[in-house]
Amino acid sequence: MTSARVLQVSSAFLFLRKKQNRRILTTLRKYIFVGGGGFIGAILRYSIEQIQIYNYQEKVPLNTLFINISGAFLLALILTAAFEVWEMDADIRLGITTGLLGAYTTFSTLCKETVGLMQSGDYYSAISYITVSTMLGLGAAYFGVVLSRKIGLMVTMKREKPDDNIPPYTEKLINNESEAE
């Protein structure tokens, strides 16, 4: 093999190695964002679970209910903003949604607490807890989507000059409102 050929093979190997390292670093960056967000979300959830509500004697766990409802709202708000209103770095979005809010909200705890209520014979509380959690969670998620779109619309309308990078949903809202005037 000639020295030129050896140099070509070595250069190709180094190029592939750099490309592989870039992929590894990109993947590692995602894990760091998810892990960091998960750390913060788990601490937030634990902190809220420790709050004692003065004179609350009922069996429905309000702390978990608050966590899940606020998590549904925040997830809808952030994902709508990230996909429809503003551009957000994919790794940051992943860290906030999958990491922070994934660790913060707790469907498994909702299920465990509901089973606990049923095992203690509190079927009415168990059914109420599941129903209220579902209905308020859906309402909070809907409100998060609507609020995020409204904020995006307000920010977009305050711009002096229209931007070609306006997300499709926001552009549709602007066009509908201008036609109504």
Side-chain angles (χ1 to χ4, degrees), residues 2 13 18 20 22 28 52 62 64 66 86-87 89-90 103 110 126 142-144 146 148 150-151 156 159:
T2 66
F13 177 74
K18 285 181 184 177
Q20 182 184 13
R22 262 186 262 131
L28 185 59
Q52 299 295 316
L62 291 181
T64 304
F66 172 79
W86 296 289
E87 288 185 26
D89 180 76
L110 170 91
Y142 178 78
F143 181 63
V146 170
S148 185
K150 284 287 188 190
I151 291 170
T156 303
R159 293 181 181 167

Side-chain angles (χ1 to χ4, degrees), residues 54-87:
Y54 181 72
N55 270 350
Y56 182 69
Q57 303 296 322
E58 301 300 317
K59 296 180 181 182
V60 173
L62 291 181
N63 298 30
T64 304
L65 181 66
F66 172 79
I67 288 168
N68 288 331
I69 303 310
S70 62
F73 168 76
L74 290 171
L75 185 68
L77 181 85
I78 292 166
L79 284 178
T80 302
F83 284 114
E84 297 180 16
V85 180
W86 296 289
E87 288 185 26

Side-chain angles (χ1 to χ4, degrees), residues 91-153:
D91 292 340
I92 292 173
R93 182 181 65 237
L94 190 66
I96 293 171
T97 57
T98 303
L100 189 140
L101 292 172
Y104 175 69
T105 57
T106 172
F107 181 73
S108 57
T109 302
L110 170 91
C111 292
K112 181 193 94 30
E113 290 169 343
T114 303
V115 168
L117 288 170
M118 291 187 321
Q119 287 178 337
S120 66
D122 294 316
Y123 295 104
Y124 179 76
S125 295
I127 291 170
S128 297
Y129 182 42
I130 288 289
T131 304
V132 167
S133 293
T134 303
M135 299 308 288
L136 289 179
L138 289 171
Y142 178 78
F143 181 63
V145 169
V146 170
L147 182 63
S148 185
R149 287 178 179 165
K150 284 287 188 190
I151 291 170
L153 180 62

